[in-house]
Amino acid sequence: MKHFITIKDIAKELDISVSTVSRALRDTYDVNKETREKVLEMAIKLKYKPNFNATGLAKGSSHNIAVILPFITNYYFSTVITGIQEVAYQSGYNIVLYVTNDSPEREIDIISNLPITSLDGLLVSIASNSDYFDHFVEVMANEIPIVFFDRVANNLETSKVLQDDYNGAFEGVEHLIENGYKKIAHIAGPDTLTFTQNRLRGYLDALHKHQLSTKEEWIVHSGFSQEDGKKDAELLMSLADRPDSIFAANDRKAIGAILYLKSKGIKVGEEMGVVGFTNDPSSEIISPALTTIAEPAFEIGKKSCELLLKHIERKNFHPQEIVFPGKLIVRESSSKTI
Amino acid sequence: MKHFITIKDIAKELDISVSTVSRALRDTYDVNKETREKVLEMAIKLKYKPNFNATGLAKGSSHNIAVILPFITNYYFSTVITGIQEVAYQSGYNIVLYVTNDSPEREIDIISNLPITSLDGLLVSIASNSDYFDHFVEVMANEIPIVFFDRVANNLETSKVLQDDYNGAFEGVEHLIENGYKKIAHIAGPDTLTFTQNRLRGYLDALHKHQLSTKEEWIVHSGFSQEDGKKDAELLMSLADRPDSIFAANDRKAIGAILYLKSKGIKVGEEMGVVGFTNDPSSEIISPALTTIAEPAFEIGKKSCELLLKHIERKNFHPQEIVFPGKLIVRESSSKTI
DNA sequence: CTGAAAGCGCTTACAG
DNA sequence: CTGAAAGCGCTTACAG
């Protein structure tokens, strides 16, 4: 059996009670200054490490937060986690990671089996086709706060952190219009996701503002992968009335589309404008380089974690919704004259 | 205070002792079949969730494993974690994630402050310039098993999971030679890392086998980023005796190099061959597409986690070193006749 | 300012 | 096969 140094060892060594050691170790209680110093010294000398199972049991808090998201193998999510992690690390919290693979079933299974008694809060971005949120309600009923980011569950009284999907899309499409494109298609994400809907609205409103119209067949919903983008572009190019440009819901789709267009000898930029969303590093690698809306993924991660910690530490912290503005990054894929 | 259902609630409801409930909940002990079934039913009915702080305290195991690595914002590491996570999920283990940002200081700080009493094992990939491993020894002294992957600490009696860096490099360089390149440079990683050394050896031995020579100035060590690759290529191109091809330690460096070469109007493939290592998805996005050695990142993650679980479950499981073969993927960046 | 005692939820010899 | 009891390491009213 493993043996670790406990407060009992410190107490024995110093010939005082464990209660006093316990109090000295946290600085919230009245303890004689010298006693505290002796305890602290001894703790370092013995390399004492608190047993979080025990503190968790006794106090009902664990300094663990769960992060639950669809994937981690892409720029956006991995950067968000890095931001979350930065704040958690500074604040002495541990991150427990769960990946749903974008499957609603797996999401439900994970949430229902969460080691909820050793979790102080949850940070979550839901799966594309999640439509059942009762398991979140159950978690919240246990007084475990949740903060949603990016892919949020509406109708839940929790804090949310988002990028400005509507205005980002609006700006991206307007940029296309200003550069002379008139027949703008939109390859969108799954229409169940709120941010997909917001980007679609931004697209529609930008067209409307400039008295341009779209066609139903120019709006295609599918997944978020490069492969999806490829297929969407193929579909658009097969139309009798072809668009002259594409606003993609994210960069991976945009890149898939560009790859397809290039393979067909279509000159991206000149012949066919493309604008993405995210500012994935790949958008600089592809040629022509991709014009896109940059999302502050790292900041979103940091802010989400900060909010969650506030909820954890202040019982009645009022839920907030934070929206980060996007930023248009103009590159080569959207200029008729490269 | 939060209140959760406990085994006491089940016991009271059924009018039996908590000991019996406890035993019925795990199936290792002799319990009357009917009793067990009643308990299991009631547990479901009351939505009982075990308190892992309590089981951890009582048993000294927590079903938590820590994953500690330099970054998660790249293809390789995020895919490895996905593999780890897959196995952990199937086996009912939780992943506690720590990111060192490739900083040895942060790595030491993290490892020294690990909630070691609530961790069953560690999966780690060290920072580039780590050279102090005593904190790992300390962890191991507490009977917490460690499995290293990719960036391993030598001289430690633990299991290790790697790709075949030597042979991968050898094959990549030989491929360049077979395609007619003769003056092959190597843009390497930090020379402190074992896998960097192995890839360098593979490069050297392939040249040697084909009676080709290199020059000291053709071997340049730097970091692993795209930016590093760019700078390395710039340096190589400034040489009086320029190489005619580059074997890069990873794809990001290779891509940086290609981007630089393209910006100088150098025709990659024809004029200048480039081969990478990893098979990052970006290697298909860049044009010309990058020839590379594919690493089975997902498999490496799975295997690492499987090994760790064996160490956790079987006290005297003998440390193993697993090496996964790489696979040459030929694309456009290495063929003189595109 | 400090100590003794009860308790957090679970496990596990020890009896029977 | 089952129960009573002690214990895991820590916290926290309660006394003093």
Side-chain angles (χ1 to χ4, degrees), chain A residues 231-280:
Chain A
K231 282 186 195 139
D232 294 351
E234 184 172 3
L235 198 148
L236 289 174
M237 290 302 108
S238 74
L239 260 27
D241 188 11
R242 285 184 177 190
D244 65 6
S245 55
I246 296 175
F247 167 58
N250 73 358
D251 286 352
R252 273 169 294 142
K253 298 195 74 160
I255 285 168
I258 292 180
L259 257 19
Y260 175 78
L261 296 171
K262 282 172 73 175
S263 77
K264 293 298 163 190
I266 296 167
K267 289 220 158 34
V268 174
E270 296 174 70
E271 279 179 67
M272 189 82 187
V274 179
V275 168
F277 207 117
T278 302
N279 199 27
D280 190 302

Side-chain angles (χ1 to χ4, degrees), chain A residues 1-4 47 49-54 56-57 59-60 62 72-74 78-79 81-82 85-86 89-90 94-99 101 106 109-110 112-120 138 142-144 226 255 259 262 282 284-287 315, chain B residues 1-4 47 49-54 56-57 59-60 62 72-74 78-79 81-82 85-86 89-90 94-99 101 106 109-110 112-120 138 142-144 226 255 259 262 282 284-287 315:
Chain A
M1 183 65 188
K2 304 163 189 174
H3 176 261
F4 299 98
K47 297 189 180 174
K49 304 276 158 56
N51 183 316
F52 291 106
N53 283 144
L57 231 204
K59 297 212 300 180
S62 62
I72 52 168
T73 51
N74 69 46
S78 61
T79 306
I81 299 178
T82 305
Q85 181 272 150
E86 196 58 40
Y89 173 69
Q90 304 295 352
N94 300 301
I95 289 178
V96 188
L97 180 71
Y98 298 93
V99 181
N101 293 345
R106 181 127 164 195
D109 184 57
I110 287 173
S112 320
N113 291 303
L114 238 32
I116 207 159
T117 45
S118 46
L119 249 24
D120 288 352
E138 239 178 78
N142 284 315
E143 292 181 36
I144 311 282
Q226 193 171 306
I255 285 168
L259 257 19
K262 282 172 73 175
S282 306
E284 287 195 278
I285 291 175
I286 192 144
S287 163
K315 192 152 186 114
Chain B
M1 181 66 190
K2 303 163 191 174
H3 177 261
F4 300 97
K47 296 188 183 178
K49 304 275 159 57
N51 183 316
F52 291 106
N53 284 143
L57 232 205
K59 295 212 300 181
S62 62
I72 53 168
T73 50
N74 68 46
S78 62
T79 305
I81 299 178
T82 305
Q85 181 271 149
E86 195 58 40
Y89 172 68
Q90 304 296 352
N94 300 302
I95 289 178
V96 188
L97 182 71
Y98 298 94
V99 181
N101 293 345
R106 180 127 165 196
D109 185 56
I110 287 173
S112 319
N113 291 302
L114 237 31
I116 207 161
T117 45
S118 47
L119 249 22
D120 288 352
E138 241 178 77
N142 283 316
E143 293 181 35
I144 311 283
Q226 193 170 308
I255 284 168
L259 256 21
K262 282 172 72 175
S282 306
E284 287 194 278
I285 291 175
I286 192 142
S287 163
K315 193 152 187 114

Side-chain angles (χ1 to χ4, degrees), chain B residues 17-159:
Chain B
S17 75
V18 294
S19 334
T20 303
V21 174
S22 170
R23 282 187 280 250
L25 254 18
R26 294 157 300 124
D27 14 51
T28 19
Y29 284 83
D30 284 343
V31 179
N32 179 41
K33 211 181 153 198
E34 288 170 25
T35 313
R36 156 161 302 134
E37 278 165 9
K38 279 196 313 189
V39 170
L40 262 25
E41 265 175 42
M42 188 55 71
I44 291 171
K45 187 174 162 208
L46 298 180
K47 296 188 183 178
Y48 166 75
K49 304 275 159 57
N51 183 316
F52 291 106
N53 284 143
T55 53
L57 232 205
K59 295 212 300 181
S61 95
S62 62
H63 272 210
N64 286 157
I65 59 185
V67 176
I68 302 164
L69 34 59
F71 300 109
I72 53 168
T73 50
N74 68 46
Y75 162 78
Y76 181 80
F77 283 126
S78 62
T79 305
V80 169
I81 299 178
T82 305
I84 291 171
Q85 181 271 149
E86 195 58 40
V87 172
Y89 172 68
Q90 304 296 352
S91 317
Y93 278 78
N94 300 302
I95 289 178
V96 188
L97 182 71
Y98 298 94
V99 181
T100 66
N101 293 345
D102 210 26
S103 147
E105 292 74 36
R106 180 127 165 196
E107 183 175 281
I108 291 177
D109 185 56
I110 287 173
I111 310 246
S112 319
N113 291 302
L114 237 31
I116 207 161
T117 45
S118 47
L119 249 22
D120 288 352
L122 268 55
L123 244 21
V124 3
S125 195
I126 63 175
S128 299
N129 295 306
S130 289
D131 53 1
Y132 175 79
F133 301 128
D134 287 6
H135 45 293
F136 290 118
V137 176
E138 241 178 77
V139 170
M140 290 164 65
N142 283 316
E143 293 181 35
I144 311 283
I146 305 182
V147 171
F148 287 95
F149 61 91
D150 190 43
R151 306 186 176 191
V152 307
N154 293 313
N155 311 326
L156 252 35
E157 263 293 286
T158 68
S159 284

Side-chain angles (χ1 to χ4, degrees), chain B residues 80-268:
Chain B
V80 169
I81 299 178
T82 305
I84 291 171
Q85 181 271 149
E86 195 58 40
V87 172
Y89 172 68
Q90 304 296 352
S91 317
Y93 278 78
N94 300 302
I95 289 178
V96 188
L97 182 71
Y98 298 94
V99 181
T100 66
N101 293 345
D102 210 26
S103 147
E105 292 74 36
R106 180 127 165 196
E107 183 175 281
I108 291 177
D109 185 56
I110 287 173
I111 310 246
S112 319
N113 291 302
L114 237 31
I116 207 161
T117 45
S118 47
L119 249 22
D120 288 352
L122 268 55
L123 244 21
V124 3
S125 195
I126 63 175
S128 299
N129 295 306
S130 289
D131 53 1
Y132 175 79
F133 301 128
D134 287 6
H135 45 293
F136 290 118
V137 176
E138 241 178 77
V139 170
M140 290 164 65
N142 283 316
E143 293 181 35
I144 311 283
I146 305 182
V147 171
F148 287 95
F149 61 91
D150 190 43
R151 306 186 176 191
V152 307
N154 293 313
N155 311 326
L156 252 35
E157 263 293 286
T158 68
S159 284
K160 290 161 193 165
V161 180
L162 305 154
Q163 50 278 334
D164 192 342
D165 296 299
Y166 173 83
N167 283 308
F170 190 97
E171 215 182 326
V173 173
E174 193 160 50
H175 165 74
L176 240 19
I177 296 170
E178 283 164 358
N179 277 27
Y181 299 99
K182 292 192 163 31
K183 300 164 72 174
I184 306 174
H186 179 34
I187 58 180
D191 56 8
T192 45
L193 250 24
T194 310
F195 85 73
T196 295
Q197 295 159 12
N198 290 151
R199 291 180 193 179
L200 175 58
R201 278 199 305 117
Y203 157 80
L204 256 16
D205 285 3
L207 293 182
H208 187 252
K209 175 182 169 192
H210 293 271
Q211 281 124 329
L212 251 33
S213 60
T214 183
K215 310 180 112 185
E216 211 171 310
E217 55 184 20
W218 287 354
I219 299 175
V220 11
H221 287 276
S222 69
F224 285 123
S225 74
Q226 193 170 308
E227 200 46 46
D228 291 318
K230 225 173 233 185
K231 281 184 195 141
D232 294 351
E234 183 170 5
L235 198 148
L236 289 174
M237 289 303 107
S238 73
L239 260 27
D241 188 11
R242 286 184 177 189
D244 65 6
S245 55
I246 296 175
F247 167 59
N250 72 0
D251 286 351
R252 272 169 295 143
K253 297 195 74 159
I255 284 168
I258 292 180
L259 256 21
Y260 175 77
L261 297 171
K262 282 172 72 175
S263 77
K264 292 299 163 189
I266 297 167
K267 289 220 158 34
V268 174

Side-chain angles (χ1 to χ4, degrees), chain A residues 279-331:
Chain A
N279 199 27
D280 190 302
S282 306
S283 57
E284 287 195 278
I285 291 175
I286 192 144
S287 163
L290 178 66
T291 294
T292 188
I293 311 295
E295 302 178 84
F298 187 78
E299 295 303 320
I300 288 173
K302 277 179 68 176
K303 193 68 187 179
S304 303
C305 194
E306 283 165 14
L307 275 180
L308 182 63
L309 295 189
K310 282 188 186 159
H311 277 110
I312 291 171
E313 279 152 20
R314 287 191 250 153
K315 192 152 186 114
N316 287 315
F317 183 74
H318 202 70
Q320 284 184 225
E321 182 165 328
I322 309 276
V323 179
F324 281 90
K327 190 175 180 314
L328 177 70
I329 313 268
V330 178
R331 297 204 182 93

Side-chain angles (χ1 to χ4, degrees), chain A residues 27-317:
Chain A
D27 16 50
T28 18
Y29 284 83
D30 284 342
V31 179
N32 179 41
K33 211 182 153 198
E34 288 170 24
T35 313
R36 158 164 300 137
E37 279 165 9
K38 279 196 313 188
V39 170
L40 261 26
E41 264 176 42
M42 188 54 72
I44 291 172
K45 187 174 162 206
L46 297 181
K47 297 189 180 174
Y48 167 74
K49 304 276 158 56
N51 183 316
F52 291 106
N53 283 144
T55 53
L57 231 204
K59 297 212 300 180
S61 94
S62 62
H63 271 211
N64 287 156
I65 59 185
V67 175
I68 302 165
L69 34 60
F71 300 109
I72 52 168
T73 51
N74 69 46
Y75 163 77
Y76 180 81
F77 284 124
S78 61
T79 306
V80 169
I81 299 178
T82 305
I84 291 172
Q85 181 272 150
E86 196 58 40
V87 172
Y89 173 69
Q90 304 295 352
S91 316
Y93 278 79
N94 300 301
I95 289 178
V96 188
L97 180 71
Y98 298 93
V99 181
T100 66
N101 293 345
D102 210 25
S103 147
E105 293 74 35
R106 181 127 164 195
E107 184 176 281
I108 291 177
D109 184 57
I110 287 173
I111 311 242
S112 320
N113 291 303
L114 238 32
I116 207 159
T117 45
S118 46
L119 249 24
D120 288 352
L122 268 54
L123 244 23
V124 2
S125 194
I126 62 174
S128 301
N129 296 306
S130 288
D131 54 1
Y132 175 80
F133 301 127
D134 288 6
H135 45 295
F136 291 117
V137 176
E138 239 178 78
V139 169
M140 291 165 66
N142 284 315
E143 292 181 36
I144 311 282
I146 306 182
V147 171
F148 287 95
F149 61 92
D150 189 46
R151 305 186 177 190
V152 308
N154 294 312
N155 312 324
L156 253 34
E157 262 294 286
T158 69
S159 284
K160 288 160 194 167
V161 180
L162 304 155
Q163 49 279 332
D164 192 342
D165 297 298
Y166 173 82
N167 283 307
F170 190 97
E171 215 182 326
V173 173
E174 193 160 49
H175 164 74
L176 240 18
I177 297 170
E178 282 162 359
N179 277 27
Y181 299 98
K182 292 190 162 33
K183 300 163 71 172
I184 306 175
H186 179 34
I187 57 180
D191 56 7
T192 45
L193 251 24
T194 310
F195 83 75
T196 295
Q197 296 158 12
N198 290 150
R199 292 182 192 179
L200 175 59
R201 276 199 306 115
Y203 157 81
L204 256 15
D205 284 3
L207 293 182
H208 187 252
K209 175 182 170 193
H210 292 271
Q211 282 124 328
L212 252 31
S213 60
T214 183
K215 310 181 111 184
E216 210 172 311
E217 55 184 21
W218 287 354
I219 300 175
V220 10
H221 287 275
S222 68
F224 285 122
S225 74
Q226 193 171 306
E227 200 47 44
D228 290 318
K230 224 171 234 185
K231 282 186 195 139
D232 294 351
E234 184 172 3
L235 198 148
L236 289 174
M237 290 302 108
S238 74
L239 260 27
D241 188 11
R242 285 184 177 190
D244 65 6
S245 55
I246 296 175
F247 167 58
N250 73 358
D251 286 352
R252 273 169 294 142
K253 298 195 74 160
I255 285 168
I258 292 180
L259 257 19
Y260 175 78
L261 296 171
K262 282 172 73 175
S263 77
K264 293 298 163 190
I266 296 167
K267 289 220 158 34
V268 174
E270 296 174 70
E271 279 179 67
M272 189 82 187
V274 179
V275 168
F277 207 117
T278 302
N279 199 27
D280 190 302
S282 306
S283 57
E284 287 195 278
I285 291 175
I286 192 144
S287 163
L290 178 66
T291 294
T292 188
I293 311 295
E295 302 178 84
F298 187 78
E299 295 303 320
I300 288 173
K302 277 179 68 176
K303 193 68 187 179
S304 303
C305 194
E306 283 165 14
L307 275 180
L308 182 63
L309 295 189
K310 282 188 186 159
H311 277 110
I312 291 171
E313 279 152 20
R314 287 191 250 153
K315 192 152 186 114
N316 287 315
F317 183 74

